[in-house]
Amino acid sequence: MIKQIAETFKNDIATEVLSGGMMIEENVAPIEKIAPFIQTAYSRVEELTGIKFGDDFLWHINHPDQSDWVMNSEKPAIALCIFKEYYPEQQIAFAADLQYALNYEGRDLDDDEAYRHLLEKYGIHPEAFYNKLHSEAYKEQAYYEFALCKQLQVTAFPAVLMQLSENKFHLLARGYTDYDAMKQRIELVLQEIASSPAK
């Protein structure tokens, strides 16, 4: 949906993906701890969004006692920061690839190897990527994004905000929102901007 929105409004607004840090620090959890919630929630997500979770992902959800997964937002957030440096114009595609890698292909995003297929896809040199993945500089960038989302009072994921000025944001969506509703909300904000007197 966000890919569609970005394409629809590509001449009107710039789009940026920020990592919110849903599972960092004290919220990092083994899959055993959160699998019971996902077991009851994933079918509702499929029904609402029309997407399907992959069998490889669902294996970990349905066999948490046999899975070694630890759900941690840090490494994928660092990977996104690195990718945005290489290809800022493709950050939505890369974020979608990360979601697909986890939720459909069942890749453990806390494992370095989970990113190798994306490095091939986007032509990123593995050694350079992995050096950055383990560097303090990119970790700091990821934690800056987490702090920024906290400052923006993002408390649910995903969230979509539209920045109107340096200090003014519109919350367009908290949780899943379909394309038509999102398009309408953005159009209303753009109309509001167009009709407001210039300062």
Side-chain angles (χ1 to χ4, degrees), residues 51-107:
I51 62 97
K52 290 289 177 198
F53 287 89
D55 290 339
D56 290 332
F57 172 78
L58 291 175
W59 182 90
H60 291 273
I61 302 310
N62 293 320
H63 302 87
D65 56 324
Q66 298 173 53
S67 175
D68 61 354
W69 274 13
V70 174
M71 305 308 279
N72 186 344
S73 300
E74 184 178 288
K75 194 170 286 185
I78 296 170
L80 181 61
C81 288
I82 297 165
F83 187 86
K84 287 196 290 188
E85 185 177 83
Y86 283 108
Y87 300 114
E89 73 289 351
Q90 292 187 61
Q91 57 189 280
I92 293 172
F94 188 75
D97 285 341
L98 288 177
Q99 293 287 336
Y100 187 81
L102 172 66
N103 295 308
Y104 192 82
E105 297 174 326
R107 296 179 191 264

Side-chain angles (χ1 to χ4, degrees), residues 6-179:
E7 179 62 27
T8 299
F9 292 98
K10 65 184 177 184
N11 297 322
D12 303 298
I13 53 177
T15 310
E16 183 177 5
V17 180
L18 296 174
S19 297
M22 183 168 74
M23 304 198 79
I24 56 168
E25 298 165 342
E26 69 275 3
N27 292 324
V28 170
I31 195 67
E32 282 184 275
K33 189 174 178 182
I34 55 177
F37 168 75
I38 299 173
Q39 286 168 6
T40 60
Y42 86 87
S43 56
R44 173 71 181 130
V45 173
E46 289 184 335
E47 186 184 304
L48 189 65
T49 64
I51 62 97
K52 290 289 177 198
F53 287 89
D55 290 339
D56 290 332
F57 172 78
L58 291 175
W59 182 90
H60 291 273
I61 302 310
N62 293 320
H63 302 87
D65 56 324
Q66 298 173 53
S67 175
D68 61 354
W69 274 13
V70 174
M71 305 308 279
N72 186 344
S73 300
E74 184 178 288
K75 194 170 286 185
I78 296 170
L80 181 61
C81 288
I82 297 165
F83 187 86
K84 287 196 290 188
E85 185 177 83
Y86 283 108
Y87 300 114
E89 73 289 351
Q90 292 187 61
Q91 57 189 280
I92 293 172
F94 188 75
D97 285 341
L98 288 177
Q99 293 287 336
Y100 187 81
L102 172 66
N103 295 308
Y104 192 82
E105 297 174 326
R107 296 179 191 264
D108 178 2
L109 298 185
D110 205 37
D111 178 357
D112 287 4
E113 287 304 308
Y115 303 91
R116 195 167 295 275
H117 71 295
L118 294 177
L119 304 184
E120 292 169 12
K121 177 179 178 178
Y122 289 99
I124 297 172
H125 192 276
E127 187 179 354
F129 173 83
Y130 287 117
N131 283 339
K132 291 176 178 181
L133 190 66
H134 293 283
S135 77
E136 278 301 311
Y138 290 90
K139 182 177 177 178
E140 284 174 14
Q141 283 183 36
Y143 275 82
Y144 172 78
E145 291 192 6
F146 301 157
L148 183 57
C149 288
K150 195 172 182 180
Q151 187 180 340
L152 292 169
Q153 299 177 10
V154 174
T155 56
F157 303 93
V160 179
L161 294 96
M162 189 166 174
Q163 184 172 7
L164 305 184
S165 66
E166 190 174 334
N167 297 312
K168 188 175 180 185
F169 293 80
H170 262 293
L171 178 64
L172 298 178
R174 180 187 284 123
Y176 176 74
T177 304
D178 67 36
Y179 172 82

